[in-house]
Amino acid sequence: AQKITQTQPGMFVQEKEAVTLDCTYDTSDQSYGLFWYKQPSSGEMIFLIYQGSYDEQNATEGRYSLNFQKARKSANLVISASQLGDSAMYFCAMILQWSGGYNKLIFGAGTRLAVHP
Amino acid sequence: NAGVTQTPKFQVLKTGQSMTLQCAQDMNHEYMSWYRQDPGMGLRLIHYSVGAGITDQGEVPNGYNVSRSTTEDFPLRLLSAAPSQTSVYFCASSYRQGVNQPQHFGDGTRLSIL
């Protein structure tokens, strides 16, 4: 079954510390994309980082890095030097080429991160 | 830095009314899509388009129509609103269709059907 699992419903971290948000995925496809999105309380969905299934190097975007372990089917998001503005819901997502001809975007249930001063 | 713009942000409708949710992007993206976000169900694809003049159905297309007359615009029409269509609607776009294409989302439209 094609699935994204985020096992941490909520996390908290002290400002300026690093935090890891867990994500595991399940697919038998060889070609897929893994993404992380941030959804603040205002509701918009903000793209953070992308990792392709064939990429050998872990993706990094500023304070965000994606710890990609293909054999374990995990794609954890690491946020370094947390800021108060990082408090939000974080979604791990996977894009697959679906049999219906479209790209199927599968989201995890999300992890709510709270950054404390 | 407009990106993907959705209007309106909030809307309340009565059962049976029709309306159009607007979506525009200024990134010259070929691929555009509409999702609905419901608690416990993640994002579900309603309709998508791979370019101007081309649209197709996603997972939950019933009760919705779309058109793509220009690259920039991809409106979603509710034909006869039903309470089951109460949801948060997101428009998204990417440079082209593909598993390596990050989808950029609008801010969402919160729709309530009474």
Side-chain angles (χ1 to χ4, degrees), chain B residues 32-76:
Chain B
M32 297 186 74
S33 51
W34 277 101
Y35 295 89
R36 56 179 290 173
Q37 184 181 34
D38 301 294
M41 305 193 75
L43 287 179
R44 291 182 291 170
L45 181 65
I46 305 171
H47 285 285
Y48 68 101
S49 168
V50 298
I54 306 169
T55 64
D56 211 338
Q57 297 180 349
E59 303 169 83
V60 288
N62 292 342
Y64 307 95
N65 272 356
V66 291
S67 60
R68 184 100 181 265
S69 56
T70 66
T71 299
E72 294 79 18
D73 299 301
F74 190 45
L76 177 72

Side-chain angles (χ1 to χ4, degrees), chain B residues 16-27:
Chain B
Q17 287 184 315
S18 62
M19 79 160 294
T20 299
L21 279 61
Q22 301 291 344
C23 175
Q25 53 87 13
D26 62 358
M27 299 175 281

